[in-house]
Amino acid sequence: MAVHYCGLCRRTSFSGRRHLYSAAHRRRLREALGRLQEEVAAARAAAAAAGDGDGGGAVRRYDPAEHERRVWCLCCGRGVRRDGRRGGLALPQAGLLQHLAGPEHRRETARFWRENRAEAALRERFLVPAEEYERFARALERALAAHQRREEEHIRQMAAGIREAERRQRETVQAALQLQTEAELCAGPSVCSPAAGPKRDSSHDAEQPGPSGVQTGPDLNWMESGQALTFIGHQETEGRGNVHTGAKPPWLTEEEEEDGSKQQIGPSYEEFLKQREKQKLRKLPAERVGANFDHTSQTGDSWLPSFGRVWNHGRRWQSRHQFRTESGEKKKKR
């Protein structure tokens, strides 16, 4: 009796190869080939789109979560990477197309068709001709070159933008330094006022109509375009600097009070000890004996109970000794 093991159905048949013609085997074979055919059709469609268009969709930025997927090749019995990779770029369907066009896949497909008695007319659907893969490879190279040109153009534009920003920054700094130099050369308003800008219109200096010749509205044209402000000199405080002169920040200086004594920051050491004692007392039970005792009341020593002898004289141990002596004498008399 011939024994046959079917790898597709994963079962052993004792009727030889008659299992290959059974309905269950044909159904599983059709379902498995249908799943593989969908992947092959998607790969060939991507190859056709890359060859017909500009190839922009054939190159994408590499994403491990998306482009690390594997496709199970039923004919070869192993997983194949669906997408290819070129540096930081992903090539969709490139890995699967390369596998389908290779000689190993063609050889394993012929073996799978022979062992499982599949329809011979369907075998070409699971193969990619070498000419089709070569066209896809050329389109892929063109897409990579175009992507590289676009990246270089983008980098050149970014570099030009950076250079333009640096040029504007240099011009701004030069203009600020020039204004500062002109302001330092000015000795006061009397020197800088005539050269500060064009003369104002005499019509604005004339008296405006109104009572006593007083101007009734504000002069909105007091500053004309291009007129610089008058520099009145540096304002410095006596004995103190600022952050522009390199002085020490105010939070690092030791401030003194008006009477000359240094102001102490924070509580003193004695206050700290008192506060720590209060924190310790807070941990004790609030209903303990003596917790609410008024220590400020004026009381004498007479309120305390006497723990001395019977007549409140002498030591307590003397009272105990006398009591024992008297008890012993009474026992002897009895």
Side-chain angles (χ1 to χ4, degrees), residues 6-292:
C6 179
L8 181 63
C9 300
R10 296 182 180 180
R11 56 171 297 184
T12 302
S13 176
F14 294 96
S15 58
R17 294 183 176 272
R18 293 175 56 183
H19 167 75
L20 301 177
Y21 301 96
S22 62
H25 176 79
R26 306 300 293 181
R27 177 174 54 82
R28 292 189 179 92
L29 179 62
R30 184 168 56 253
E31 293 175 355
L33 290 178
R35 290 191 295 267
L36 181 59
Q37 187 176 0
E38 292 178 0
E39 299 290 344
V40 175
R44 299 186 73 169
D52 296 341
D54 56 351
V59 179
R60 297 179 184 176
R61 190 174 299 276
Y62 177 74
D63 185 9
E66 180 181 359
H67 300 109
E68 286 293 335
R69 178 188 169 190
R70 289 183 174 270
V71 178
W72 179 258
C73 181
L74 183 64
C75 303
C76 301
R78 64 185 182 91
V80 181
R81 289 188 59 178
R82 183 189 63 179
D83 303 331
R85 183 179 179 183
R86 183 74 64 86
L89 301 177
L91 313 176
Q93 305 293 342
L96 182 58
L97 284 171
Q98 184 180 6
H99 172 75
L100 296 176
E104 181 182 0
H105 176 72
R106 183 176 296 273
R107 183 172 58 253
E108 292 296 329
T109 301
R111 179 191 59 80
F112 180 83
W113 245 253
R114 184 174 59 255
E115 291 181 354
N116 292 277
R117 296 295 187 269
E119 298 181 12
L122 300 178
R123 187 172 63 178
E124 294 299 326
R125 299 181 182 180
F126 300 88
L127 301 175
V128 174
E131 297 80 7
E132 183 178 351
Y133 179 73
E134 290 177 0
R135 288 195 300 269
F136 171 74
R138 289 192 296 268
L140 198 59
E141 292 297 333
R142 291 194 300 269
L144 287 172
H147 179 78
Q148 186 176 2
R149 288 193 299 270
R150 288 193 298 269
E151 290 292 331
E152 292 177 355
E153 181 64 24
H154 181 64
I155 292 174
R156 283 195 295 268
Q157 292 178 0
M158 291 180 61
I162 293 174
R163 287 193 295 268
E164 181 64 21
E166 291 178 351
R167 184 186 64 80
R168 289 197 299 266
Q169 185 177 6
R170 286 195 300 269
E171 291 179 356
T172 304
V173 173
Q174 291 176 1
L177 292 176
Q178 184 177 1
L179 290 176
Q180 184 178 2
T181 304
E182 293 177 357
E184 291 177 355
L185 294 176
C186 294
S190 61
V191 180
C192 297
S193 296
K199 295 182 178 180
R200 296 174 58 184
D201 190 1
S202 60
S203 61
H204 295 286
D205 297 334
E207 295 181 356
Q208 301 292 334
S212 302
V214 180
Q215 185 178 354
T216 58
D219 186 6
L220 301 179
N221 296 325
W222 67 276
M223 173 74 74
E224 297 182 0
S225 60
Q227 183 177 359
L229 297 176
T230 301
F231 180 73
I232 61 176
H234 295 284
Q235 302 294 325
E236 297 182 356
T237 57
E238 298 181 358
R240 293 187 179 182
N242 52 26
V243 293
H244 303 286
T245 59
K248 184 181 294 185
W251 55 84
L252 296 180
T253 58
E254 297 181 357
E255 297 183 356
E256 296 183 359
E257 296 182 352
E258 296 179 356
D259 56 355
S261 60
K262 293 184 179 180
Q263 183 180 3
Q264 185 178 4
I265 300 176
S268 61
Y269 184 69
E270 292 76 9
E271 295 177 354
F272 168 72
L273 294 178
K274 293 180 180 179
Q275 183 67 21
R276 190 170 63 176
E277 292 296 331
K278 291 181 180 179
Q279 293 293 338
K280 290 181 179 179
L281 293 176
R282 287 180 182 177
K283 298 180 181 180
L284 298 176
E287 301 297 332
R288 68 186 185 277
V289 178
N292 300 324

